[in-house]
Amino acid sequence: MYLCIAFKLNEIMIFKRKLYQKMLQWKSERNGSTALLIKGARRVGKSTLVEEFAKNEYKTYVLIDFAHVSKQISVLFEDISDLNFFFLRLQVETGVTLYERESVIIFDEVQLKPVARQAIKYLVKDGRYDYIETGSLLSIKKNVQNIVIPSEETRLTLFPMDFEEFYWALGNETTYSILPKFWETRQPLEGSHRKLMRDLRLYMLVGGMPQAIDTYLKTNNIIELYKEDFNKIDPTGRASRLFAAIPSQLMSNAGRFQVSSVIDNQDAQRVATVVADMADSMTISLSYHVNDPNVGLPLTQNIYRYKMFVADTGLFVTLAFWDKDYTENSIYSKLLSDKLDANLGYVYENLVAQMLTAAGNELFYYTFPDENNHNYEIDFLLSRGNKICPIEVKSSGYKTHKSLDEFCKKYSVRIGDRFLVYTKDLRKDGVILFVPVYMTGLL
């Protein structure tokens, strides 16, 4: 059983999520020896997923939401030397009976109560109950200051719904599950390709962050909501400005995020802490430039040279057109029907970044000069076995792939598979595999 939540106006809908299976595995294998920490961006659905899990898999549960916790419960964590007293008080305050090895206690938004997270070490050792924590911004200094981070945590990440989960939400559990068969045999999908691309464009518009979508439908103001979040992280406003600049930065093809073009008198080193906090929020993803593309990609990454992506492409599209009136323009309908008169390469690049991240990959890219002192660029690099696999992303003009060709020539002994991800059907042309963008998660 897999669960997710999505919101439609005031109605809560339960959808399948892959993480549910990993949560079941934790419960079975760990049997109380660790707490489960679910991290992810705000509004991605952590809290309701965890509560649904608690309802289904335990006899009773206590949910402590540290964003709205009562003073009586909050003060309990200031002294947990007497756990018998702690649990008795918790049951009195919540009205929930706890059963040994049959109940779970949820610490929701645990980053807001650092001493509660520190207490996990002693609560897990006690062994009476299971514990699940949810949170974002878990590494921000103020959220870990003066506490010992417990090693007794099994950590899982909830990403925005991927394309397969999106299909599940539409009630279709067949289409995506068949794609690996085409992938393994390298067979084109032919007539089915058009349907998959149409569904993918819908996914690009809707996105995979249910609570964010619900907020947008109700208020038409989702971008301002996230800018407020970033202003809490960084009151100077730099984080919100960097976030708002992501589409234009990707569209500029500059080879890196140009901080100085967004904020005067600033560079990547000066905003390093702000960017790290943005990444910790999981609302963005960073792809780092590698200086020497080889199997150990992180070994030569340049932490001050990166591309920035929005973690959810639905949110990215909203951000790209956020100054337009959703109800009065045709941008969304044109994008859905593939008739938008614009270079959408940067949108597909963001989508590929999201798909690679959801599949468990770190993001890296590489640039090198051509004979005219311009740059060739490999959009993404994967490490597979003792080889690297370059990826070039194309939304159009796929018949030329000079960057990919020159890179593979330059580093021929290091190259495994080489991929061109694009909007057409699956096919192989010589040594290059042309991959429809909806198959990115299979790379």
Side-chain angles (χ1 to χ4, degrees), residues 2 173 214 221 223 258 340 389-390 441:
Y2 311 76
E173 299 190 20
D214 179 61
N221 204 23
I223 297 304
Q258 300 282 355
L340 186 62
C389 302

Side-chain angles (χ1 to χ4, degrees), residues 401 404-405 408 417-420 427-435:
H401 32 80
L404 187 61
D405 294 340
C408 293
D417 293 323
R418 54 201 78 181
F419 304 112
L420 192 146
R427 69 182 181 90
K428 190 166 186 180
D429 185 0
V431 292
I432 298 177
L433 186 61
F434 288 72
V435 183

Side-chain angles (χ1 to χ4, degrees), residues 2-5 15-20 23 38 44-56 134 158 211:
Y2 311 76
L3 291 176
C4 173
I5 55 94
F15 292 147
K16 293 169 61 174
R17 282 305 295 267
K18 296 174 182 177
L19 198 71
Y20 197 101
M23 295 169 72
I38 305 291
V44 79
K46 302 182 298 295
S47 302
T48 309
L49 172 62
V50 167
E51 188 169 8
E52 286 297 321
F53 182 81
K55 287 178 182 177
N56 294 331
T134 77
L158 183 63
Q211 293 184 27

Side-chain angles (χ1 to χ4, degrees), residues 120-139:
I120 283 294
K121 178 180 182 67
Y122 308 101
L123 295 170
V124 166
K125 184 178 180 181
D126 173 75
R128 272 176 261 190
Y129 313 112
D130 281 355
Y131 300 90
I132 302 178
E133 306 164 88
T134 77
S136 56
L137 306 173
L138 291 164
S139 300

